[in-house]
Amino acid sequence: MFYVYWVLSAVLIPLLNNFYGILRQPYSWWLVPVLLVAFFLGFVILHLAVTCVWIATANVNKPPKGTRAFRVLANITIPLLLKLTRVRVNAVGTEKVPSDARMLFICNHQHDFDPVILLSVFPNANLGFIGKKDIYETMPFIAKAMHRLYCLPIDREHDRAAAKTVIEASRILKSGTASIGLFPEGYTSKTCELLPFRNGAFKIAYRAEAPIAVCVINNTREIVKRMFRRRTTVELRVLEVINYDDYKSLSTVELGEKLHAAMKAEIEALGKRK
């Protein structure tokens, strides 16, 4: 939509001139760039306003219920925001993920921008995420946006509540309603090193008998530092997609150790190439 809004802005200028003749004077040439920028900003502001209103109407006290229309809106809004904030995503290995597939996506967690990057790279996966319960208490607007995308809160301090979230996530995944995104570290890594996994979360895949897409991400912590001023390149790698038959004989601990080793090696390799 970034370029679409620029094109629409450029088209509006001659149309406006046909009605009002604002560009017919020799000294009015300076209005062209001013109007171009003004129209573009107007489109962007209107777009974001519609998105914010739609998010604000979500009721987090009801079960998460996404809509095709909101998913389409999210899929065009996220690339627009990344373009405005000068974020470029270099994604490798995405061809390993079947189009429109429903699976468990696991990824390391460096910053709160990580879900946004995954949503931008996999727009057809209908991704929802498992998020900290704290988000729903301290960031209500973000929580509403997550609710619109089939995200679920998890209370990691209470095993019974966490188990209910795992069961609900596996139900959503198995029914084909949405894919589930999971950050098995449980917390963002301030050093960008891979933290130990909470292996119990992999039960979502076991219960749903779903494939697991193993991803790593790097450099999202730089986005806030460079936003609007300098380009930030975020690296995303899809290491492999593991089918249920390939991991069903493993315990969650064995699976976690296997994936942790593979992801750690790739993250370290990305850090060296940075």
Side-chain angles (χ1 to χ4, degrees):
M1 294 305 293
F2 181 85
Y3 295 108
V4 170
Y5 287 153
W6 277 118
V7 171
L8 289 175
S9 300
V11 169
L12 278 178
I13 293 175
L15 289 177
L16 190 65
N17 186 54
N18 286 337
F19 287 101
Y20 299 102
I22 58 174
L23 302 179
R24 294 175 184 175
Q25 301 300 324
Y27 52 81
S28 60
W29 60 269
W30 59 270
L31 283 175
V32 174
V34 172
L35 289 173
L36 185 65
V37 172
F39 285 142
F40 173 77
L41 291 177
F43 281 124
V44 170
I45 292 171
L46 180 61
H47 182 125
L48 296 180
V50 170
T51 304
C52 288
V53 169
W54 204 330
I55 291 172
T57 58
N59 185 352
V60 296
N61 295 318
K62 293 183 177 180
K65 183 179 181 181
T67 62
R68 184 184 296 264
F70 184 79
R71 182 66 66 167
V72 170
L73 179 62
N75 286 343
I76 63 176
T77 301
I78 289 172
L80 174 63
L81 291 175
L82 293 179
K83 198 71 177 178
L84 290 172
T85 53
R86 304 191 66 184
V87 176
R88 176 179 175 270
V89 182
N90 182 26
V92 176
T94 55
E95 72 281 355
K96 300 173 185 176
V97 179
S99 178
D100 298 326
R102 298 293 177 262
M103 58 183 62
L104 180 70
F105 287 78
I106 70 163
C107 189
N108 61 307
H109 202 8
Q110 294 186 352
H111 196 275
D112 293 339
F113 279 109
D114 295 339
V116 176
I117 301 300
L118 287 167
L119 285 167
S120 73
V121 174
F122 303 106
N124 297 323
N126 214 33
L127 258 172
F129 292 89
I130 304 295
K132 296 182 297 184
K133 182 183 178 183
D134 300 353
I135 296 174
Y136 288 73
E137 297 172 350
T138 60
M139 294 184 283
F141 184 78
I142 299 299
K144 286 175 179 286
M146 293 171 62
H147 199 73
R148 287 285 190 190
L149 297 171
Y150 275 110
C151 296
L152 297 169
I154 187 166
D155 187 349
R156 293 172 300 197
E157 304 303 322
H158 297 87
D159 292 342
R160 182 173 294 183
K164 288 182 179 180
T165 298
V166 168
I167 292 170
E168 177 62 15
S170 62
R171 185 195 66 78
I172 291 173
L173 181 56
K174 190 169 186 176
S175 67
T177 302
S179 295
I180 298 295
L182 176 67
F183 301 104
E185 296 164 279
Y187 298 93
T188 56
S189 174
K190 295 181 180 180
T191 63
C192 296
E193 296 176 344
L194 192 63
L195 302 176
F197 283 175
R198 294 171 177 262
N199 296 315
F202 292 119
K203 291 179 181 178
I204 295 171
Y206 283 90
R207 293 181 65 93
E209 299 183 359
I212 301 175
V214 186
C215 309
V216 297
I217 200 168
N218 193 51
N219 212 37
T220 48
R221 294 191 71 86
E222 295 297 313
I223 294 176
V224 175
K225 300 176 184 178
R226 301 185 179 192
M227 190 180 294
F228 303 114
R229 300 183 296 106
R230 296 171 57 192
R231 181 182 296 277
T232 304
T233 300
V234 173
E235 301 287 345
L236 187 137
R237 299 286 186 272
V238 179
L239 304 187
E240 59 180 329
V241 174
I242 309 175
N243 292 318
Y244 175 66
D245 288 340
D246 296 327
Y247 69 82
K248 66 181 182 180
S249 61
L250 301 176
S251 67
T252 56
V253 173
E254 291 171 331
L255 178 62
E257 290 175 348
K258 175 184 176 180
L259 299 183
H260 190 280
M263 292 169 65
K264 181 179 179 181
E266 184 63 25
I267 292 168
E268 291 175 349
L270 285 173
K272 291 177 180 178
R273 292 197 294 265
K274 184 178 176 181

